[in-house]
Each structure stands twice: as structure tokens, then as C-alpha cells.
């Protein structure tokens, strides 16, 4: 067991719930929160950079690292592999740096299992599945097929909404952010 000085804040929720929008505000208001850069096998998107958004690995490289126990957690999300570096997270929180995580529910479960009360998980839920669909369509970043997969996955993820430390319903973005701002401020001074 490591001696944890920094806090871990995890934001989870289905695709389209508003996590990226809320994370942008969190990053601006809490610059002291560092972010772990995950490894992924998903292809780099336009505008992304190696070592900034992710470390991009082949499936073979990812499996090699996984088998060497380099990941604190890893998961298959929307058909690609994603993993969080154990070394980065442990050395950061031992040093006293607090971390912000944007990972999926499987990752949140693993982080919670590893850090217990040292990790605070905020589940961001849409007001309804219908509204989630509207947001995914309006966002315009995904094909109908991808939206279908994300909506199907969302049904399962939403069943877990009450299993975490905090549940924030993103009905109105300013109201939801206000709630998240208070939660994070409270965690960081605790
Ligand atoms: P996620 O990161 O969880 O996939 P996004 O932050 O990309 O979600 O949000 C999905 C879409 O919904 C975006 O187009 C965003 O602008 C919009 N959105 C986010 N929050 C709200 C809200 N409270 N009301 C209406 N639209 C929202
Ligand atoms: P994207 O490919 O859109 O960047 O991310 C897709 C999903 O993967 C998001 O839900 C994101 O939270 C999740 N994700 C990103 N990095 C990790 C990680 O290291 N571990 C886990 N479990 N999920 C991750």
C-alpha cells in the first residue's frame, strides 16, 4: 500500500452526458489537478498529439505492457484498448499531486478498488436517454452506427449511476458545473 498524499478525482458517465464540456471547465478552474495520459490502441484523431492526448500503441505493444503489469487499470472501450500508467499515478499521488481522470466506468471501478476513499468518483448522467440521443446527434461527431453503440452502452452504464461517490445530473450545464465545482473544492480541502 502506498502513502497517498494527492487526491484522485474521476469523472465518469456515458458518452454524450457532457463530460468533456464539464472537464474543460474543471481544467480551467483547477489548474492544480494533473492529468494522467492514458495509453490507447485507438488511431490518433486529427488534431491529437502523441504524449499530449494519449500514448498511441499497437495492440501488441499494449498487451506487452499489460502483461508486465504496467497498468493500474485497463479496459476495452468502444472496441479499443485503454490503460492508465501505474507508475505515473502512484508517483504523482505519493509526491502530493492531485489527479483528474477521464476514464470509463470499468476504469473507475478499478481505481476505486485500488485507492478506496483516496479516489472520488463523480458520475455525470444525462437527464434522460432521449436527451442523451439528442445531444449525441447534435454534437455531430459520430455516425448513426457509432451513436447506436454508444446509446446501447449508455443503458448499461446508467444502471451504475448510484454506485459512486457523487451523482451529478447534467440537465443545465451551469447548474451541473456549480455542483461539480463544490464537490471538487470539498475533496481538495478534505
Ligand atoms: P461527453 O464528453 O460526455 O461525450 P460532451 O461534453 O461532448 O459529452 O457533450 C455532448 C454534447 O452535448 C455536446 O455537443 C455538448 O455541447 C452538449 N451538452 C453538454 N452539456 C449540455 C447540457 N447541459 N445541455 C445541453 N447540451 C449539452
Ligand atoms: P476517446 O477515444 O473518445 O478519447 O475515449 C473513449 C473513452 O475511453 C472515454 O469514455 C474515456 O473516458 C475512456 N478512457 C480514456 N482513457 C482511459 C483509460 O486509461 N482507462 C479507461 N478505463 N478508460 C479510458
Amino acid at each position: 500500500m502506498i502513502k497517498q498524499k494527492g487526491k484522485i478525482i474521476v469523472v465518469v458517465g456515458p458518452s454524450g452526458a457532457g463530460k468533456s464540456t464539464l472537464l474543460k471547465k474543471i481544467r480551467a478552474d483547477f489548474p492544480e489537478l494533473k492529468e494522467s495520459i492514458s495509453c490507447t490502441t485507438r488511431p490518433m484523431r486529427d488534431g491529437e498529439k502523441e504524449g499530449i492526448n494519449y500514448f498511441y500503441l499497437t495492440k501488441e505493444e499494449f498487451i506487452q505492457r499489460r502483461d508486465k503489469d504496467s497498468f493500474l487499470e485497463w479496459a476495452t472501450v468502444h472496441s479499443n484498448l485503454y490503460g492508465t500508467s501505474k507508475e505515473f499515478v502512484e508517483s504523482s499521488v505519493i509526491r502530493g499531486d492531485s489527479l483528474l481522470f477521464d476514464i470509463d466506468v470499468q476504469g473507475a471501478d478499478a481505481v476505486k478498488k485500488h485507492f478506496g476513499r483516496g479516489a472520488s468518483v463523480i458520475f455525470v448522467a444525462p437527464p434522460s436517454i432521449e436527451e442523451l440521443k439528442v445531444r449525441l446527434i447534435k454534437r455531430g461527431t459520430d455516425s448513426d452506427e457509432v451513436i447506436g453503440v454508444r446509446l446501447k452502452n449508455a443503458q448499461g452504464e446508467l444502471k451504475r449511476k448510484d454506485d459512486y461517490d457523487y451523482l451529478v445530473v447534467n440537465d443545465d450545464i451551469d447548474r451541473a458545473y456549480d455542483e461539480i465545482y463544490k464537490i471538487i473544492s470539498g475533496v481538495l480541502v478534505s
Side-chain angles (χ1 to χ4, degrees):
M1 201 66 194
I2 60 157
K3 180 127 182 56
Q4 183 184 349
K5 285 201 256 164
K7 306 281 168 43
I8 291 177
I9 305 215
V10 184
V11 178
V12 285
S15 179
K19 295 181 306 296
S20 306
T21 312
L22 292 161
L23 282 161
K24 205 168 158 195
K25 289 171 176 279
I26 296 170
R27 289 183 187 113
D29 285 340
F30 298 96
E32 68 271 39
L33 289 175
K34 297 221 161 65
E35 285 187 72
S36 152
I37 299 164
S38 298
C39 294
T40 185
T41 60
R42 121 157 130 57
M44 195 186 281
R45 293 182 186 139
D46 278 353
E48 288 186 343
K49 286 203 171 78
E50 167 74 21
I52 303 283
N53 303 90
Y54 286 103
F55 294 107
Y56 300 86
L57 305 180
T58 62
K59 199 169 174 194
E60 291 68 34
E61 288 167 338
F62 191 99
I63 287 167
Q64 238 176 35
R65 289 203 198 186
R66 183 198 66 187
D67 292 348
K68 276 199 222 147
D69 204 24
S70 308
F71 295 128
L72 176 71
E73 63 79 30
W74 69 273
T76 303
V77 187
H78 310 311
S79 319
N80 292 301
L81 295 167
Y82 293 83
T84 307
S85 155
K86 187 188 273 182
E87 209 282 316
F88 175 84
V89 174
E90 292 194 343
S91 61
S92 297
V93 295
I94 288 171
R95 205 166 41 236
D97 289 340
S98 289
L99 299 176
L100 179 63
F101 279 63
D102 169 10
I103 53 179
D104 86 314
V105 283
Q106 306 164 76
D109 291 337
V111 169
K112 197 68 197 163
K113 198 167 165 204
H114 195 84
F115 290 100
R117 293 179 60 181
S120 300
V121 181
I122 306 171
F123 190 102
V124 177
S128 65
I129 279 275
E130 291 72 30
E131 172 62 15
L132 189 70
K133 187 173 177 185
V134 168
R135 287 185 193 172
L136 285 171
I137 293 169
K138 266 201 198 156
R139 187 169 69 182
T141 53
D142 303 296
S143 64
D144 290 354
E145 194 191 338
V146 169
I147 290 178
V149 171
R150 291 184 181 219
L151 281 173
K152 191 164 166 275
N153 290 344
Q155 318 259 13
E157 286 162 343
L158 283 169
K159 289 200 183 111
R160 304 284 324 278
K161 69 182 171 34
D162 297 311
D163 296 346
Y164 298 100
D165 301 294
Y166 305 94
L167 169 63
V168 174
V169 177
N170 178 17
D171 40 15
D172 172 81
I173 191 73
D174 293 328
R175 194 211 59 75
Y177 183 64
D178 204 44
E179 208 180 319
I180 289 186
Y181 182 89
K182 287 186 184 130
I183 292 168
I184 297 179
S185 303
V187 169
L188 292 180
V189 297
S190 66

